[in-house]
Amino acid sequence: MSEVTCIGTSWALAVTLLAAILVSAAVPRAEAARAFFVFGDSLVDSGNNNYLATTARADSPPYGIDYPTHRPTGRFSNGLNIPDIISEKIGAEPTLPYLSPALTGQKLLVGANFASAGIGILNDTGVQFLSIIRIFRQLQLFQQYQQRLGALVGPAQAQQRVHQALVLITLGGNDWVNNYFLTPGSVRSRQFTIPQYSRYLISEYKKVLRRLYELGARRVLVTGTGPLGCVPAELAMTGSRNGECAPRLQQAAAIFNPELVQMLRELNGEIGSDVFVSANAFKMNMDFIDNPTKFGFVTSKVACCGQGPYNGLGICNAASNLCADRKVYAFWDGFHPSERANRLIVQQLLSGTTDYMSPMNLSTVMALDSRT
């Protein structure tokens, strides 16, 4: 072979390699990263309720004051919420709310957030909030999403992307706070004792999770409830004098969360795989509620935004008391953690011991799944 031929061949090879690099660089980030789907309530809603006729909204200032745009987005946070931070950690774009008009084309590859503030496991939870996306409707929208994705990439590719996705579901808190304990002598509290109601919730939740599995979810993070009796809204409403957590709500969480973990173990046993991963949100929150200064917070009792005792009454709005430094407040409003608290929670999701994550943490999940 002549020297000219060798040079030509080498040049052609270099051009081919360069073209391959340029093509791979041009692949949307969404295709490279794992898809992410989110179901649940206001702790994980990224703005679906903005598109609904509901009173459960976070679309006005000062919500979003620390978001990159410094504008309200529908997230019940001063900035990023838990799904945003998970997306950040797994190297993906934030998932768009399913109802967002921007969720089209290549954005569908990123995943979708179906969560809606105010909902619970039960259909009668959150009726006071009017139009919200109840959990079985969220699952119907997930089916609809898969049809849309199939039209974009083909049914086989769509199914594979769903099977390989990470899923987060956060439910249960509203079934207690905005149903059982909503009013003295509520319908559910007359119908059930706390242990009976917990068992009923667990049995209904199992149906939700089974349906999620039927729809293709194969890696699902399931968060238990936080310490329901320790949020500023409950401290204010129960007349806590020294910031002691409301005992009956704490009792409910202490009964519900272990039963949830047991149910997830049973479901995994029935399926024959560790599909469902439980996250001990109660312990994650209690760490900084019990010892705020250890985590750099000034208070875990008073909300940054609100009014009345503990800034826990009413809703966070432009007329509310607003703290100057959101980083030193564990709670943003009466019910929801600040972005900094959310970051501590996600850190435990990623690397927490079995006290926090069972049967494994998210880092282990990601490492295992990268090998298959």
Side-chain angles (χ1 to χ4, degrees):
M1 187 182 291
S2 70
E3 186 177 339
V4 172
T5 307
C6 281
I7 291 169
T9 305
S10 299
W11 175 249
L13 182 61
V15 169
T16 303
L17 285 170
L18 179 60
I21 291 166
L22 289 172
V23 167
S24 67
V27 172
R29 188 180 176 197
E31 283 194 56
R34 186 177 196 172
F36 183 33
F37 301 106
V38 182
F39 302 87
D41 57 27
S42 61
L43 289 166
V44 292
D45 182 356
S46 293
N48 279 308
N49 279 24
N50 288 358
Y51 304 95
L52 303 172
T54 177
T55 55
R57 324 174 63 85
D59 59 346
S60 60
Y63 283 101
I65 190 171
D66 298 309
Y67 192 75
T69 60
H70 306 292
R71 297 177 66 181
T73 61
R75 291 164 173 83
F76 286 75
S77 172
N78 58 301
L80 303 183
N81 65 8
I82 287 169
D84 294 324
I85 300 163
I86 291 175
S87 293
E88 184 185 283
K89 298 297 183 184
I90 66 175
E93 295 176 29
T95 51
L96 287 170
Y98 186 69
L99 299 185
S100 169
L103 186 64
T104 58
Q106 296 294 305
K107 292 290 184 185
L108 289 166
L109 294 165
V110 177
N113 185 316
F114 301 90
S116 177
I119 73 135
I121 298 162
L122 305 181
N123 273 336
D124 61 305
T125 291
V127 291
Q128 67 272 33
F129 299 125
L130 307 175
S131 175
I132 51 180
I133 313 171
R134 303 187 190 287
I135 189 57
F136 277 101
R137 179 60 182 154
Q138 291 185 25
L139 297 179
Q140 288 172 349
L141 293 176
F142 186 37
Q143 282 182 279
Q144 186 184 95
Y145 162 88
Q146 292 185 45
Q147 292 164 359
R148 293 174 63 193
L149 184 63
L152 181 70
V153 299
Q157 285 272 38
Q159 185 183 59
Q160 182 183 26
R161 191 141 186 88
V162 169
H163 282 334
Q164 293 175 345
L166 180 67
V167 179
L168 172 69
I169 185 165
T170 296
L171 286 174
N174 283 324
D175 294 287
W176 293 104
V177 172
N178 282 309
N179 191 329
Y180 193 88
F181 291 112
L182 181 61
T183 56
S186 68
V187 172
R188 291 300 189 182
S189 66
R190 293 197 308 271
Q191 187 180 10
F192 297 107
T193 64
I194 289 175
Q196 288 169 343
Y197 185 62
S198 181
R199 286 193 295 274
Y200 176 54
L201 289 179
I202 294 295
S203 68
E204 292 301 302
Y205 204 173
K206 193 171 187 179
K207 296 173 189 174
V208 171
L209 296 176
R210 274 209 181 104
R211 182 64 184 139
L212 192 52
Y213 178 78
E214 288 168 6
L215 291 173
R218 294 295 179 266
R219 281 294 192 195
V220 185
L221 297 181
V222 184
T223 67
T225 75
L228 302 173
C230 301
V231 299
E234 295 302 334
L235 299 184
M237 287 187 283
T238 57
S240 175
R241 291 189 177 181
N242 299 306
E244 305 96 340
C245 302
R248 292 193 75 223
L249 280 102
Q250 288 296 87
Q251 179 197 1
I255 291 171
F256 175 83
N257 286 316
E259 289 182 348
L260 175 60
V261 172
Q262 182 56 35
M263 181 266 278
L264 296 177
R265 285 192 190 123
E266 290 168 8
L267 257 182
N268 284 340
E270 292 167 18
I271 293 166
S273 175
D274 289 329
V275 170
F276 298 101
V277 175
S278 66
N280 189 342
F282 186 94
K283 182 169 173 53
M284 292 174 188
N285 281 269
M286 284 308 298
D287 283 351
F288 56 74
I289 287 172
D290 279 341
N291 195 350
T293 54
K294 178 182 175 182
F295 295 90
F297 295 119
V298 168
T299 177
S300 60
K301 304 296 182 188
V302 180
C304 170
C305 181
Q307 42 275 320
Y310 306 100
N311 273 349
L313 296 180
I315 59 171
C316 171
N317 57 35
S320 298
N321 301 318
L322 179 65
C323 68
D325 185 359
R326 275 75 64 184
K327 289 186 177 68
V328 296
Y329 281 71
F331 283 94
W332 159 244
D333 63 15
F335 289 103
H336 304 96
S338 62
E339 178 183 324
R340 185 154 173 276
N342 282 332
R343 288 190 174 278
L344 293 172
I345 291 165
V346 172
Q347 191 53 51
Q348 291 292 9
L349 292 174
L350 280 165
S351 56
T353 65
T354 50
D355 287 342
Y356 298 90
M357 301 293 296
S358 176
M360 66 191 103
N361 59 36
L362 180 53
S363 295
T364 304
V365 166
M366 299 298 285
L368 282 174
D369 292 352
S370 69
R371 298 174 196 159
T372 57

